[in-house]
Amino acid sequence: ETGVTQTPRHLVMGMTNKKSLKCEQHLGHNAMYWYKQSAKKPLELMFVYSLEERVENNSVPSRFSPECPNSSHLFLHLHTLQPEDSALYLCASSQDRLAGSGPDTQYFGPGTRLTVL
Amino acid sequence: DQQVKQNSPSLSVQEGRISILNCDYTNSMFDYFLWYKKYPAEGPTFLISISSIKDKNEDGRFTVFLNKSAKHLSLHIVPSQPGDSAVYFCAASEGGGADGLTFGKGTHLIIQP
């Protein structure tokens, strides 16, 4: 397995369910990200982890809970979601270099298409 | 308010011709700009980037131009090929490091045979 993988690829859940999205990167990177893409909207950054520490949380509702147990794995735990949370959830990874040394090219997984009923 | 704007939702270009995709930004703190390409059912794939200290970066058929005074960048693809048909996203970041990217909504490029 190479690159960034995400499971499941598709998920349908009710508003009272608890589910988790999984992301795994095989690139030796030390930073991982969750993005959300809703219909007709740009990709929106949700969470950033660098060296397994959360460094950014873009005011995401608490019903989304990330977990980064090690540099290769990232989870997004979902609880009591709303129908408007239906979207494509994309995971990305990058090698976190020094600020100002160049853009950290982010490599994306294929995404999980989430539908909340 | 959107900080990265791609005002053309779609663009149709004949095979062999030049494709020009445009992107405007409002945040003067953006230091790096990237273009990603996305096929259906796949995640975005990195294409090319440019630092704010440059005004042009070229990689094969792909060239990105940056006009800082106008807060505008463009991606040129020449010659356009059928496999270039995809959605192209412009993205920007501040200062490098593990910063999240700010994306535009994307432009769907269609290469006509």
Side-chain angles (χ1 to χ4, degrees):
Chain A
E1 197 75 80
T2 57
V4 181
T5 58
Q6 290 186 243
T7 54
R9 294 293 307 275
H10 300 271
L11 178 63
V12 179
M13 59 187 288
M15 290 191 284
T16 57
N17 290 159
K18 287 185 185 181
K19 296 286 184 183
S20 295
L21 310 185
K22 179 183 175 183
C23 176
E24 185 172 358
Q25 59 95 2
H26 309 268
L27 300 168
H29 290 162
N30 59 11
M32 296 186 79
Y33 311 77
W34 279 116
Y35 287 86
K36 174 184 177 182
Q37 186 177 26
S38 304
K40 298 184 180 178
K41 285 188 176 182
L43 275 78
E44 299 170 85
L45 178 68
M46 298 177 74
F47 301 102
V48 179
Y49 276 82
S50 179
L51 300 172
E52 300 151 46
E53 296 289 324
R54 188 192 303 181
V55 298
E56 188 163 345
N57 171 0
N58 275 9
S59 302
V60 179
S62 59
R63 58 186 183 269
F64 295 92
S65 174
E67 179 191 359
C68 188
N70 55 61
S71 60
S72 299
H73 294 86
L74 185 65
F75 295 89
L76 187 62
H77 303 298
L78 314 172
H79 177 48
T80 59
L81 295 192
Q82 305 297 313
E84 59 264 29
D85 296 322
S86 298
L88 179 68
Y89 289 85
L90 288 158
C91 172
S93 72
S94 71
Q95 185 60 29
D96 182 7
R97 294 171 288 181
L98 292 171
S101 65
D104 285 352
T105 301
Q106 295 180 20
Y107 295 84
F108 285 82
T112 295
R113 174 68 63 186
L114 174 67
T115 303
V116 182
L117 301 176
Chain B
D1 187 35
Q2 267 192 273
Q3 297 186 64
V4 177
K5 298 178 185 178
Q6 293 177 260
N7 292 319
S8 299
S10 66
L11 175 67
S12 184
V13 174
Q14 206 162 13
E15 183 180 354
R17 301 286 188 117
I18 184 171
S19 296
I20 300 176
L21 298 114
N22 293 304
C23 178
D24 298 291
Y25 62 96
T26 58
N27 185 348
S28 57
M29 298 299 291
F30 286 143
D31 272 357
Y32 301 106
F33 303 89
L34 306 90
W35 284 94
Y36 281 82
K37 175 180 177 179
K38 186 179 185 301
Y39 293 118
E42 295 182 12
T45 304
F46 171 72
L47 203 54
I48 192 169
S49 66
I50 189 167
S51 162
S52 60
I53 61 173
K54 293 186 173 182
D55 54 18
K56 178 182 174 181
N57 189 24
E58 193 172 351
D59 183 1
R61 296 186 298 115
F62 303 92
T63 304
V64 56
F65 295 92
L66 175 63
N67 182 335
K68 279 183 295 184
S69 60
K71 294 193 176 68
H72 176 84
L73 63 153
S74 60
L75 174 68
H76 292 213
I77 306 173
V78 55
S80 300
Q81 299 175 353
D84 296 330
S85 295
V87 178
Y88 289 78
F89 293 98
C90 172
S93 75
E94 296 181 33
D99 290 334
L101 297 173
T102 302
F103 281 84
K105 288 186 180 181
T107 296
H108 185 193
L109 177 64
I110 301 162
I111 305 301
Q112 307 270 8

